[in-house]
């Protein structure tokens, strides 16, 4: 895995660089608000306050430099991976199929579809008769390093997109080898097409020679291209978080254009409900603060 220098999971799912910068700015604003709201008893004397500010500034600069280095490394890893993947396809090591062509191969020629998506996407919708072996899976470990990554992923956009913290499955190749011989015809697919390319590279390097990649992923498939099972449409399998709840994803906008006003009213009602709940919480906090002040005054 390390020798392949695969880009991290955020780069293989959706680019959040601009979104992350916006969230950092908002988070910084919240920190400033909390600092300005500190009670007088917690405010340090001027010399210590100045020293503390210098330390905080130095830490912020270090964090910003680390973020920039991380983003730069992500871009370099992604660019290097793309060059390898382009060469792999150009040299004919992996064949390219459209979702419709993949559907024909599965239904008419009994080819096997290898679904490498994580469980959060697979449980929403899947191709009938496909074999599911995820290359990346939801990281459910509760260790110091994994918890910090989960918090960072949530702050940097996971709350909005619903993309969880994922980790590479070290048993991916062994699981595939247990089910399929090296001469098997495998149609490899994920939700958007990037993780399946990473899987094709791993499989190709391990000796598989009859590999087919679904260009654009399962999300690019039309309703008639593949036989789908599951509780949701296939195009909705890759969305989540607050954006899905409010209906602010591209997939839901397309569905709204087809379904009409009834579909849009559902998400409009959810948005109004959020504002009402937020307003009620704000009024409740005000009432509680007044109640506490009345108790202290007496």
């Amino acid at each position: 895995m390390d020798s392949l220098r695969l880009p991290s999971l955020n780069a293989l799912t959706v680019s959040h660089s601009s979104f992350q910068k916006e969230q950092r700015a908002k988070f910084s604003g919240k920190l400033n608000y909390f600092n300005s709201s500190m009670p007088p008893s917690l405010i340090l004397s001027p010399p210590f306050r100045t020293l503390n500010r210098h330390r905080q500034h130095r830490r912020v600069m270090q964090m910003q430099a680390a973020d920039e280095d991380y983003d730069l490394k992500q871009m370099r890893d992604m660019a290097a991976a793309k060059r390898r993947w382009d060469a792999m396809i150009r040299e004919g090591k992996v064949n390219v199929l459209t979702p419709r062509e993949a559907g024909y191969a599965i239904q008419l020629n009994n080819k096997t579809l290898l679904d490498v998506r994580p469980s959060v996407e697979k449980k929403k919708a899947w191709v009938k008769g496909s074999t599911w072996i995820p290359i990346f899976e939801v990281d459910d470990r509760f260790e110091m390093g994994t918890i910090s990554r989960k918090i960072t992923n949530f702050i940097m956009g996971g709350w909005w997109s619903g993309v969880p913290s994922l980790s590479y499955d070290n048993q991916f190749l062994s699981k595939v080898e247990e089910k399929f011989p090296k001469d098997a015809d495998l149609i490899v697919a994920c939700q958007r097409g990037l993780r399946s390319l990473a899987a094709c590279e791993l499989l190709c390097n391990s000796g598989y020679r009859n590999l087919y990649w679904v260009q654009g992923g399962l999300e690019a498939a039309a309703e008639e291209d593949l036989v789908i099972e599951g509780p949701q449409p296939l195009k909705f399998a890759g969305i989540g978080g607050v954006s899905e709840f409010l209906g602010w994803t591209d997939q839901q906008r397309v569905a709204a254009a087809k379904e009409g006003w009834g579909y849009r009213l559902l998400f409009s009602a959810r948005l109004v409900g959020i504002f009402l709940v937020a307003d009620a919480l704000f009024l409740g906090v005000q009432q509680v603060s007044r109640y506490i002040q009345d108790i202290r005054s007496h």
Side-chain angles (χ1 to χ4, degrees), residues 33 51 58 71 92 295 298:
Y33 171 77
L51 179 60
R58 185 165 61 251
D71 292 340
I295 294 176
H298 290 83

Side-chain angles (χ1 to χ4, degrees), residues 19-35:
F19 186 81
Q20 289 174 355
K21 292 178 181 178
E22 179 183 355
Q23 293 306 310
R24 292 188 195 116
K26 291 181 179 179
F27 188 65
S28 177
K30 291 181 180 179
L31 286 179
N32 293 334
Y33 171 77
F34 289 137
N35 289 335

Side-chain angles (χ1 to χ4, degrees), residues 168-185:
Y168 171 70
D169 185 358
N170 294 318
Q171 304 299 317
F172 172 72
L173 281 176
S174 60
K175 291 177 181 178
V176 175
E177 291 171 349
E178 286 178 4
K179 288 184 174 291
F180 305 107
K182 294 296 178 66
D183 59 350
D185 294 332

Side-chain angles (χ1 to χ4, degrees), residues 2-131:
D2 294 335
S3 62
L4 291 175
R5 295 182 181 177
L6 292 179
S8 73
L9 278 303
N10 287 338
L12 288 174
T13 51
V14 60
S15 175
H16 292 309
S17 58
S18 61
F19 186 81
Q20 289 174 355
K21 292 178 181 178
E22 179 183 355
Q23 293 306 310
R24 292 188 195 116
K26 291 181 179 179
F27 188 65
S28 177
K30 291 181 180 179
L31 286 179
N32 293 334
Y33 171 77
F34 289 137
N35 289 335
S36 64
S37 303
M38 290 175 64
S41 60
L42 295 180
I43 298 179
L44 299 176
S45 59
F48 292 98
R49 185 170 65 236
T50 302
L51 179 60
N52 190 45
R53 285 177 179 174
H54 286 311
R55 290 175 178 173
Q56 289 180 350
H57 179 71
R58 185 165 61 251
R59 290 173 183 171
V60 170
M61 294 296 293
Q62 291 174 349
M63 291 175 63
Q64 290 178 345
D67 288 340
E68 291 176 358
D69 291 342
Y70 178 77
D71 292 340
L72 182 60
K73 184 179 183 301
Q74 293 280 37
M75 293 174 62
R76 288 176 177 173
D77 288 347
M78 195 64 201
K82 188 178 184 304
R83 287 193 297 269
R84 296 196 309 270
W85 296 339
D86 289 342
M88 183 174 61
I89 293 173
R90 186 172 58 251
E91 295 168 2
K93 296 179 179 179
V94 174
N95 303 289
V96 180
L97 296 178
T98 65
R100 178 164 297 183
E101 291 171 341
Y104 289 150
I106 295 168
Q107 297 175 36
L108 301 179
N109 298 325
N110 295 321
K111 302 295 184 184
T112 300
L113 178 71
L114 177 60
D115 187 346
V116 299
R117 297 176 302 163
S119 57
V120 291
E121 296 176 358
K122 190 266 178 181
K123 68 182 181 181
K124 295 180 180 179
W126 60 90
V127 177
K128 183 178 180 179
S130 60
T131 299

